[in-house]
Amino acid sequence: MMFLEYFIWGMWYVTLGTWLSSTLHFTGQQIGVAAGATAIGAIVAPFFVGLITDRLFATQKVLALLHLLGAALLLAASAQLAFVPFYACILVYCICFMPTLALTNSLSFRQMKDPKEEFGSIRVLGSSGWIVGGLLIGSMRLEATSTPMRLAALSSLVMAIYCLTLPHTPPLVPRTTKLSVSSIFPRQVLALFKDRGMIIFLIASFLICIPLQFYYAFTNLFLNQVGVHNAAGKMTGGQISELLCMVSIPWFFRRLGVKYMLAAGMLAWVLRYVLFAFGSIGTSMWMLWGGIVLHGICYDFFFVTGQIYIDHKANAGLRAAAQGFITFVTYGLGMFVGSWLSGSVVDRYALALPKGTVTYDWRAIWLFSAITSVVVLTFFLVTFSEKNARLPLAVEDASVPSIGSELIPL
């Protein structure tokens, strides 16, 4: 289940910008908005899960239906040539797909006897699915075609059928229970963010997701335009580095503490964008590799550390809701803003070439992203205090935070 879930996403999402730019000739703004459809899905997901799955239907049946609809929508999207019908298809698809990320997690937790012991070894197969998808697309040289989306549609159909074989997982909440915003994000969770440290963390998390979207929407297009062979395959080095960095989190926690773990994650985004700005194929290829493999620090040191920080600050009964709220703010609202900003900046630095093709001033684009990340990092370092934020030294379970709605793949 986990392998297929992230295999589907990794098949079409990484190379989306390359196909839309090189083949369909969409603008940077249109590419950014299309990539940001996942953010709208992330905004809708908590309400969908709270309304449908927790109250009305068995999880495995909802997963099967959503992936069946997803297969049809991806196939339809792959056949579109104009932006409006394409975006309509991909937006509805993301609204269907993004809730399944939380649902696969929640189904796993409910079927396991000891989630802390068992979930890590299961979730790593999701990362493996993303990696295999990228390697497959890159090795077949399909990045500038609609084929990745069609293969993802076929995989989604397989997933829909497979979900019907999963263990029965009935609703948790009685149908008679009234649904409200407070039942999805309880008031006690919102009260957590009255604490100065928590509100600074929330603001910094939202802000860092804005330049983060430059990476997700445009890195594959950038690598292809500068002449990197098998860019999608090479980008899987980022997911491999995440797995390695995950193992090191407890060691760094004991030495750096919360504040400087989070700061190191944001600093890694700055370094990544600087490396991309000055890297090229040939003698500077190491810079491009460096920007890719920094993904482990970029993600684990900030987002996983943040998940552990939230897990520590919230009471046991509120942890899942608190994680869902921070996911809503970051991967939903933050990346939605980032999708619009990244597209506008990329269009600002568009360079017309003969025969109607377009390339971009990538150095200016990545330096803009780096400067934006520096501003967020500076804000965080100046305003965030580690007082009352230090976690216990025993963080051996740090690799498996209590989170049921993780939306960005390891």
Side-chain angles (χ1 to χ4, degrees), residues 323-402:
Q323 299 287 4
F325 180 72
I326 197 69
T327 298
F328 171 82
V329 171
T330 53
Y331 300 137
L333 300 178
M335 288 196 175
F336 178 74
V337 174
S339 69
W340 283 90
L341 179 63
S342 63
S344 298
V345 171
V346 167
D347 272 346
R348 169 67 178 79
Y349 293 106
L351 303 172
L353 294 177
K355 299 182 181 179
T357 58
V358 177
T359 188
Y360 302 95
D361 184 352
W362 290 111
R363 178 168 295 182
I365 292 168
W366 294 128
L367 287 177
F368 178 91
S369 307
I371 292 170
T372 306
S373 301
V374 167
V375 172
V376 179
L377 172 61
T378 304
F379 162 77
F380 178 78
L381 286 173
V382 171
T383 58
F384 185 82
S385 172
E386 203 164 356
K387 182 180 180 181
N388 298 325
R390 185 173 296 277
L391 303 186
L393 293 181
V395 291
E396 284 73 15
D397 290 331
S399 60
V400 192
S402 300

Coordinates of all heavy atoms in Angstrom, one line a residue, residues 323-402:
Q323 N -0.7 18.0 14.7 CA 0.1 17.7 13.5 C -0.7 18.0 12.2 O -0.2 18.6 11.2 CB 0.5 16.2 13.4 CG 1.4 15.8 14.6 CD 2.8 16.3 14.5 OE1 3.2 17.0 13.6 NE2 3.7 15.9 15.4
G324 N -2.0 17.7 12.2 CA -2.9 18.1 11.1 C -2.9 19.6 10.9 O -3.0 20.0 9.7
F325 N -3.0 20.3 12.0 CA -3.1 21.8 11.8 C -1.8 22.4 11.2 O -1.8 23.2 10.4 CB -3.4 22.4 13.2 CG -3.5 23.9 13.1 CD1 -4.6 24.5 12.5 CD2 -2.5 24.7 13.7 CE1 -4.7 25.9 12.5 CE2 -2.6 26.1 13.6 CZ -3.7 26.7 13.0
I326 N -0.6 21.9 11.7 CA 0.6 22.4 11.2 C 0.8 22.0 9.7 O 1.3 22.8 8.9 CB 1.8 22.0 12.0 CG1 3.1 22.9 11.7 CG2 2.2 20.5 11.8 CD1 3.0 24.3 12.2
T327 N 0.3 20.9 9.3 CA 0.3 20.4 7.9 C -0.6 21.3 7.1 O -0.2 21.7 6.0 CB -0.1 19.0 7.8 OG1 0.8 18.1 8.5 CG2 -0.2 18.5 6.4
F328 N -1.7 21.6 7.6 CA -2.7 22.5 6.9 C -2.0 23.9 6.7 O -2.2 24.4 5.6 CB -3.9 22.7 7.8 CG -4.9 23.7 7.3 CD1 -5.8 23.5 6.3 CD2 -4.9 25.0 7.9 CE1 -6.7 24.4 5.9 CE2 -5.8 26.0 7.5 CZ -6.7 25.7 6.5
V329 N -1.3 24.4 7.6 CA -0.7 25.8 7.5 C 0.5 25.7 6.5 O 0.7 26.7 5.7 CB -0.3 26.3 8.9 CG1 0.6 27.6 8.7 CG2 -1.5 26.6 9.7
T330 N 1.3 24.7 6.6 CA 2.5 24.6 5.8 C 2.3 24.1 4.4 O 2.4 24.8 3.4 CB 3.6 23.8 6.6 OG1 3.1 22.5 6.9 CG2 4.0 24.5 7.9
Y331 N 2.0 22.8 4.3 CA 1.9 22.2 3.0 C 0.6 22.6 2.3 O 0.5 22.4 1.1 CB 1.8 20.6 3.2 CG 3.1 20.1 3.8 CD1 3.1 19.1 4.8 CD2 4.3 20.6 3.4 CE1 4.2 18.6 5.3 CE2 5.5 20.1 4.0 CZ 5.4 19.1 4.9 OH 6.6 18.6 5.5
G332 N -0.3 23.2 3.1 CA -1.5 23.8 2.4 C -1.3 25.3 2.1 O -1.0 25.6 1.0
L333 N -1.5 26.1 3.1 CA -1.4 27.6 2.9 C -0.1 28.0 2.4 O 0.0 28.8 1.5 CB -1.8 28.3 4.2 CG -3.2 28.0 4.8 CD1 -3.5 28.7 6.1 CD2 -4.3 28.3 3.7
G334 N 1.0 27.6 3.1 CA 2.3 28.0 2.7 C 2.7 27.7 1.3 O 3.2 28.5 0.5
M335 N 2.5 26.4 0.9 CA 2.8 26.0 -0.5 C 1.9 26.6 -1.5 O 2.3 26.8 -2.7 CB 2.9 24.5 -0.6 CG 4.1 23.9 0.1 SD 4.4 22.2 -0.3 CE 5.9 21.9 0.5
F336 N 0.6 26.9 -1.1 CA -0.3 27.6 -2.0 C 0.3 29.0 -2.4 O 0.3 29.4 -3.6 CB -1.7 27.7 -1.4 CG -2.6 28.4 -2.3 CD1 -3.2 27.8 -3.4 CD2 -3.0 29.7 -2.0 CE1 -4.1 28.5 -4.2 CE2 -4.0 30.4 -2.8 CZ -4.5 29.8 -3.9
V337 N 0.7 29.7 -1.4 CA 1.3 31.0 -1.6 C 2.6 30.9 -2.5 O 2.8 31.6 -3.4 CB 1.6 31.8 -0.3 CG1 2.3 33.1 -0.6 CG2 0.3 32.1 0.4
G338 N 3.4 29.9 -2.1 CA 4.6 29.6 -2.8 C 4.4 29.3 -4.3 O 5.2 29.6 -5.1
S339 N 3.3 28.6 -4.6 CA 3.1 28.2 -6.0 C 2.8 29.4 -6.8 O 3.3 29.5 -8.0 CB 1.9 27.2 -6.0 OG 0.7 27.8 -5.7
W340 N 2.1 30.4 -6.3 CA 1.8 31.6 -7.0 C 3.1 32.5 -7.2 O 3.4 33.0 -8.2 CB 0.7 32.4 -6.4 CG -0.6 31.8 -6.6 CD1 -1.3 30.9 -5.9 CD2 -1.5 32.1 -7.7 NE1 -2.5 30.6 -6.5 CE2 -2.7 31.4 -7.6 CE3 -1.4 33.0 -8.8 CZ2 -3.7 31.4 -8.5 CZ3 -2.5 33.1 -9.7 CH2 -3.6 32.3 -9.6
L341 N 3.8 32.6 -6.1 CA 5.0 33.4 -6.1 C 6.1 32.8 -7.0 O 6.7 33.6 -7.8 CB 5.6 33.6 -4.7 CG 6.9 34.4 -4.6 CD1 6.6 35.9 -5.0 CD2 7.4 34.4 -3.1
S342 N 6.3 31.5 -6.9 CA 7.4 30.9 -7.7 C 7.1 31.1 -9.2 O 8.0 31.4 -10.0 CB 7.5 29.4 -7.4 OG 6.3 28.7 -7.6
G343 N 5.8 30.9 -9.6 CA 5.4 31.0 -11.0 C 5.7 32.4 -11.5 O 6.1 32.7 -12.6
S344 N 5.3 33.4 -10.7 CA 5.5 34.8 -11.0 C 7.0 35.2 -11.2 O 7.4 35.9 -12.1 CB 4.9 35.8 -10.0 OG 3.5 35.5 -9.9
V345 N 7.8 34.7 -10.3 CA 9.2 35.0 -10.3 C 9.9 34.3 -11.6 O 10.7 34.9 -12.3 CB 9.9 34.5 -9.1 CG1 11.5 34.6 -9.2 CG2 9.5 35.3 -7.9
V346 N 9.5 33.1 -11.8 CA 10.0 32.4 -13.0 C 9.6 33.1 -14.3 O 10.5 33.3 -15.2 CB 9.5 30.9 -13.0 CG1 9.8 30.2 -14.4 CG2 10.2 30.1 -11.9
D347 N 8.4 33.6 -14.4 CA 8.0 34.3 -15.6 C 8.8 35.6 -15.7 O 9.1 36.1 -16.8 CB 6.5 34.6 -15.5 CG 5.7 33.5 -16.1 OD1 6.2 32.7 -16.8 OD2 4.4 33.5 -15.9
R348 N 9.1 36.2 -14.5 CA 9.8 37.5 -14.5 C 11.2 37.3 -15.2 O 11.8 38.2 -15.8 CB 10.0 38.0 -13.1 CG 10.9 39.2 -12.9 CD 10.5 40.4 -13.6 NE 11.4 41.5 -13.3 CZ 12.5 41.7 -13.9 NH1 12.9 40.9 -14.9 NH2 13.3 42.8 -13.7
Y349 N 11.8 36.1 -15.0 CA 13.1 35.9 -15.6 C 13.1 34.9 -16.8 O 14.1 34.2 -17.0 CB 14.0 35.3 -14.5 CG 14.3 36.3 -13.4 CD1 13.7 36.2 -12.1 CD2 15.2 37.4 -13.6 CE1 13.9 37.1 -11.1 CE2 15.4 38.3 -12.6 CZ 14.8 38.2 -11.3 OH 15.0 39.1 -10.4
A350 N 12.0 35.0 -17.5 CA 11.9 34.2 -18.8 C 12.8 34.8 -19.9 O 12.9 36.0 -20.0 CB 10.5 34.1 -19.2
L351 N 13.4 33.9 -20.7 CA 14.3 34.4 -21.8 C 13.8 33.7 -23.0 O 13.8 32.4 -23.1 CB 15.7 34.0 -21.5 CG 16.4 34.5 -20.2 CD1 17.7 33.9 -20.0 CD2 16.5 36.0 -20.2
A352 N 13.3 34.4 -24.0 CA 12.8 33.9 -25.3 C 14.0 33.4 -26.1 O 15.0 34.0 -26.2 CB 12.0 34.9 -26.0
L353 N 13.8 32.2 -26.7 CA 14.8 31.7 -27.7 C 14.1 31.5 -29.0 O 12.9 31.6 -29.2 CB 15.2 30.3 -27.1 CG 16.0 30.3 -25.8 CD1 16.3 28.8 -25.4 CD2 17.3 31.1 -25.9
P354 N 14.9 31.3 -30.1 CA 14.4 31.1 -31.4 C 13.4 29.9 -31.4 O 13.4 29.0 -30.6 CB 15.6 30.7 -32.3 CG 16.8 31.4 -31.5 CD 16.4 31.2 -30.1
K355 N 12.5 29.9 -32.4 CA 11.5 28.9 -32.7 C 10.5 28.8 -31.5 O 9.9 27.8 -31.3 CB 12.2 27.5 -32.8 CG 13.1 27.4 -34.0 CD 13.7 26.0 -34.2 CE 14.7 26.0 -35.3 NZ 15.3 24.6 -35.5
G356 N 10.3 29.9 -30.8 CA 9.2 30.0 -29.8 C 9.5 29.3 -28.5 O 8.7 29.2 -27.6
T357 N 10.7 28.7 -28.3 CA 11.0 28.1 -27.1 C 11.4 29.1 -26.0 O 11.8 30.2 -26.3 CB 12.2 27.1 -27.3 OG1 13.3 27.8 -27.8 CG2 11.8 26.0 -28.2
V358 N 11.4 28.7 -24.8 CA 11.6 29.6 -23.6 C 12.6 28.9 -22.7 O 12.5 27.7 -22.4 CB 10.3 30.0 -22.9 CG1 10.6 30.8 -21.7 CG2 9.4 30.7 -23.8
T359 N 13.6 29.7 -22.2 CA 14.4 29.2 -21.1 C 14.3 30.3 -20.0 O 13.6 31.3 -20.1 CB 15.8 28.9 -21.5 OG1 16.5 28.3 -20.4 CG2 16.5 30.2 -21.9
Y360 N 15.1 30.2 -18.9 CA 15.0 31.1 -17.8 C 16.3 31.5 -17.3 O 17.3 30.7 -17.4 CB 14.1 30.5 -16.7 CG 12.7 30.1 -17.2 CD1 12.5 28.8 -17.6 CD2 11.7 31.0 -17.2 CE1 11.2 28.4 -18.0 CE2 10.4 30.6 -17.7 CZ 10.2 29.3 -18.1 OH 9.0 29.0 -18.5
D361 N 16.4 32.6 -16.6 CA 17.6 33.1 -15.9 C 17.6 32.4 -14.6 O 17.2 32.9 -13.6 CB 17.6 34.6 -15.8 CG 18.9 35.1 -15.1 OD1 19.7 34.3 -14.7 OD2 19.1 36.3 -15.1
W362 N 18.1 31.1 -14.6 CA 18.0 30.3 -13.4 C 18.8 30.8 -12.2 O 18.4 30.7 -11.1 CB 18.4 28.9 -13.7 CG 17.4 28.2 -14.6 CD1 17.5 27.8 -15.9 CD2 16.0 27.8 -14.2 NE1 16.4 27.2 -16.3 CE2 15.5 27.2 -15.3 CE3 15.3 27.9 -13.0 CZ2 14.2 26.7 -15.3 CZ3 14.0 27.4 -13.0 CH2 13.5 26.8 -14.1
R363 N 19.9 31.5 -12.5 CA 20.7 32.0 -11.4 C 19.9 33.1 -10.6 O 19.9 33.1 -9.4 CB 22.0 32.6 -12.0 CG 22.9 33.3 -10.9 CD 24.3 33.6 -11.4 NE 25.0 32.4 -11.7 CZ 26.3 32.4 -12.2 NH1 26.9 33.6 -12.3 NH2 26.9 31.3 -12.5
A364 N 19.3 34.0 -11.4 CA 18.5 35.0 -10.7 C 17.3 34.3 -9.9 O 17.0 34.8 -8.8 CB 17.9 36.0 -11.7
I365 N 16.7 33.3 -10.5 CA 15.6 32.7 -9.8 C 16.0 32.0 -8.5 O 15.4 32.2 -7.4 CB 14.9 31.6 -10.7 CG1 14.3 32.3 -11.9 CG2 13.9 30.7 -10.0 CD1 13.9 31.4 -13.1
W366 N 17.1 31.2 -8.6 CA 17.6 30.5 -7.4 C 18.1 31.5 -6.3 O 18.0 31.3 -5.1 CB 18.6 29.5 -7.7 CG 18.1 28.4 -8.6 CD1 18.6 27.9 -9.7 CD2 17.0 27.6 -8.3 NE1 17.9 26.9 -10.2 CE2 16.9 26.6 -9.4 CE3 16.0 27.5 -7.3 CZ2 15.8 25.7 -9.4 CZ3 15.0 26.5 -7.4 CH2 14.9 25.7 -8.4
L367 N 18.8 32.6 -6.8 CA 19.2 33.6 -5.8 C 18.1 34.3 -5.1 O 18.1 34.6 -3.9 CB 20.1 34.6 -6.5 CG 21.5 34.1 -6.8 CD1 22.3 35.2 -7.6 CD2 22.3 33.6 -5.6
F368 N 17.0 34.5 -5.8 CA 15.8 35.1 -5.2 C 15.3 34.1 -4.1 O 14.9 34.5 -3.0 CB 14.7 35.3 -6.2 CG 13.4 35.8 -5.7 CD1 13.1 37.2 -5.6 CD2 12.4 34.9 -5.2 CE1 11.9 37.6 -5.1 CE2 11.2 35.4 -4.7 CZ 11.0 36.7 -4.6
S369 N 15.2 32.8 -4.4 CA 14.8 31.8 -3.5 C 15.7 31.8 -2.3 O 15.3 31.6 -1.1 CB 14.8 30.4 -4.1 OG 14.0 30.5 -5.3
A370 N 17.0 31.9 -2.5 CA 18.0 31.9 -1.4 C 17.8 33.1 -0.5 O 17.9 32.9 0.7 CB 19.4 31.8 -2.0
I371 N 17.7 34.2 -1.1 CA 17.5 35.4 -0.3 C 16.2 35.4 0.6 O 16.2 35.7 1.7 CB 17.5 36.7 -1.2 CG1 18.9 36.9 -1.8 CG2 17.1 37.9 -0.4 CD1 18.9 37.9 -2.9
T372 N 15.2 34.9 -0.1 CA 13.9 34.7 0.7 C 14.1 33.8 1.9 O 13.6 34.0 3.0 CB 12.8 34.2 -0.2 OG1 12.7 35.0 -1.4 CG2 11.5 34.1 0.5
S373 N 14.8 32.7 1.6 CA 15.1 31.7 2.7 C 16.0 32.4 3.8 O 15.8 32.1 5.0 CB 15.8 30.5 2.2 OG 15.0 29.9 1.2
V374 N 16.9 33.2 3.4 CA 17.7 33.9 4.4 C 16.9 34.8 5.3 O 17.1 34.9 6.5 CB 18.9 34.7 3.7 CG1 19.5 35.7 4.7 CG2 19.9 33.8 3.1
V375 N 16.0 35.5 4.7 CA 15.1 36.4 5.5 C 14.3 35.6 6.5 O 14.2 36.0 7.7 CB 14.1 37.1 4.6 CG1 13.1 37.9 5.4 CG2 14.9 38.1 3.7
V376 N 13.8 34.4 6.1 CA 13.0 33.6 7.0 C 13.9 33.0 8.1 O 13.6 33.0 9.3 CB 12.3 32.4 6.3 CG1 11.6 31.5 7.3 CG2 11.4 32.9 5.2
L377 N 15.1 32.6 7.8 CA 16.1 32.1 8.7 C 16.4 33.1 9.8 O 16.5 32.9 11.0 CB 17.3 31.6 8.0 CG 18.5 31.2 8.9 CD1 18.2 30.0 9.8 CD2 19.7 30.8 8.0
T378 N 16.7 34.3 9.3 CA 17.1 35.4 10.2 C 15.9 35.8 11.2 O 16.1 35.9 12.4 CB 17.4 36.7 9.4 OG1 18.5 36.4 8.5 CG2 17.9 37.8 10.3
F379 N 14.7 35.8 10.6 CA 13.5 36.0 11.5 C 13.5 35.0 12.6 O 13.2 35.3 13.8 CB 12.3 36.0 10.6 CG 11.0 35.8 11.4 CD1 10.4 36.9 12.1 CD2 10.4 34.6 11.4 CE1 9.3 36.7 12.8 CE2 9.2 34.4 12.1 CZ 8.6 35.4 12.9
F380 N 13.7 33.7 12.2 CA 13.6 32.6 13.2 C 14.6 32.7 14.2 O 14.4 32.6 15.4 CB 13.6 31.3 12.4 CG 13.6 30.1 13.3 CD1 12.4 29.7 13.9 CD2 14.8 29.4 13.7 CE1 12.4 28.6 14.7 CE2 14.7 28.3 14.5 CZ 13.5 27.9 15.0
L381 N 15.9 32.9 13.8 CA 17.0 33.0 14.8 C 16.8 34.1 15.8 O 17.2 34.0 17.0 CB 18.3 33.1 14.0 CG 18.8 31.9 13.3 CD1 20.0 32.2 12.5 CD2 19.2 30.8 14.3
V382 N 16.3 35.3 15.3 CA 16.2 36.4 16.2 C 15.0 36.3 17.1 O 15.1 36.7 18.3 CB 16.0 37.7 15.3 CG1 15.7 38.9 16.2 CG2 17.3 38.0 14.5
T383 N 13.9 35.7 16.7 CA 12.7 35.7 17.5 C 12.4 34.4 18.3 O 11.7 34.5 19.3 CB 11.5 36.0 16.6 OG1 11.4 35.0 15.6 CG2 11.6 37.3 15.9
F384 N 12.9 33.3 17.8 CA 12.6 32.0 18.5 C 13.5 31.8 19.7 O 14.7 31.8 19.6 CB 12.7 30.8 17.5 CG 12.3 29.5 18.1 CD1 11.0 29.2 18.1 CD2 13.2 28.6 18.6 CE1 10.5 27.9 18.6 CE2 12.8 27.4 19.1 CZ 11.5 27.1 19.1
S385 N 12.9 31.5 20.8 CA 13.7 31.1 22.0 C 13.5 29.7 22.4 O 12.4 29.1 22.3 CB 13.2 32.0 23.2 OG 13.8 31.5 24.4
E386 N 14.6 29.0 22.8 CA 14.5 27.6 23.1 C 14.1 27.4 24.5 O 13.9 26.2 25.0 CB 15.9 26.9 22.9 CG 15.8 25.5 22.6 CD 17.1 24.9 22.0 OE1 18.0 25.7 21.7 OE2 17.1 23.7 21.8
K387 N 13.8 28.4 25.2 CA 13.3 28.3 26.6 C 11.9 27.6 26.5 O 11.0 27.9 25.7 CB 13.1 29.7 27.2 CG 12.6 29.6 28.7 CD 12.5 31.0 29.3 CE 12.0 30.9 30.7 NZ 11.8 32.3 31.3
N388 N 11.8 26.6 27.3 CA 10.6 25.7 27.4 C 10.4 24.9 26.1 O 9.3 24.4 25.9 CB 9.3 26.6 27.6 CG 9.4 27.3 28.9 OD1 9.9 26.8 29.9 ND2 8.8 28.5 29.0
A389 N 11.4 24.9 25.2 CA 11.2 24.2 23.9 C 12.2 23.0 23.9 O 12.1 22.2 22.9 CB 11.5 25.1 22.7
R390 N 13.1 22.9 24.8 CA 14.1 21.8 24.8 C 13.4 20.4 25.0 O 12.6 20.3 25.9 CB 15.2 22.0 25.8 CG 16.3 21.0 25.7 CD 17.4 21.3 26.6 NE 18.0 22.6 26.3 CZ 19.0 22.7 25.3 NH1 19.4 21.6 24.6 NH2 19.5 23.9 25.0
L391 N 13.7 19.5 24.1 CA 13.1 18.2 24.2 C 13.9 17.3 25.1 O 15.1 17.5 25.4 CB 13.0 17.6 22.8 CG 12.2 18.4 21.8 CD1 12.1 17.6 20.5 CD2 10.9 18.8 22.3
P392 N 13.4 16.2 25.6 CA 14.2 15.2 26.4 C 15.3 14.7 25.5 O 15.2 14.6 24.3 CB 13.1 14.1 26.7 CG 11.8 14.8 26.5 CD 12.0 15.8 25.5
L393 N 16.4 14.3 26.2 CA 17.5 13.7 25.4 C 17.2 12.4 24.8 O 17.8 12.0 23.8 CB 18.7 13.6 26.4 CG 19.3 14.9 26.9 CD1 20.5 14.6 27.8 CD2 19.7 15.8 25.7
A394 N 16.2 11.7 25.4 CA 15.9 10.3 24.8 C 15.0 10.5 23.6 O 13.8 10.6 23.8 CB 15.2 9.5 25.9
V395 N 15.6 10.6 22.5 CA 14.8 10.9 21.3 C 15.0 9.7 20.3 O 15.0 9.9 19.1 CB 15.1 12.2 20.6 CG1 14.6 13.4 21.4 CG2 16.6 12.3 20.3
E396 N 15.2 8.5 20.8 CA 15.5 7.4 19.9 C 14.3 7.1 19.0 O 14.4 6.5 17.9 CB 15.8 6.1 20.7 CG 17.2 6.2 21.3 CD 17.4 7.1 22.4 OE1 16.4 7.6 23.0 OE2 18.5 7.4 22.8
D397 N 13.1 7.5 19.4 CA 11.9 7.3 18.6 C 11.6 8.5 17.7 O 10.6 8.6 17.1 CB 10.6 7.1 19.5 CG 10.7 5.8 20.2 OD1 11.3 4.8 19.7 OD2 10.1 5.7 21.3
A398 N 12.6 9.4 17.5 CA 12.4 10.6 16.7 C 12.1 10.3 15.3 O 11.5 11.1 14.6 CB 13.7 11.5 16.8
S399 N 12.5 9.1 14.8 CA 12.3 8.8 13.4 C 10.8 8.5 13.1 O 10.4 8.3 12.0 CB 13.2 7.7 12.9 OG 12.9 6.5 13.7
V400 N 10.0 8.3 14.2 CA 8.6 7.9 14.0 C 7.7 8.8 14.8 O 7.2 8.4 15.8 CB 8.4 6.4 14.4 CG1 7.0 6.0 13.9 CG2 9.4 5.5 13.8
P401 N 7.6 10.1 14.4 CA 6.8 11.0 15.2 C 5.3 10.6 15.0 O 4.9 10.0 14.1 CB 7.0 12.4 14.5 CG 7.5 12.0 13.1 CD 8.2 10.8 13.3
S402 N 4.5 11.1 16.0 CA 3.1 10.7 16.0 C 2.4 11.7 15.0 O 1.9 12.7 15.4 CB 2.5 10.9 17.4 OG 3.1 10.1 18.3

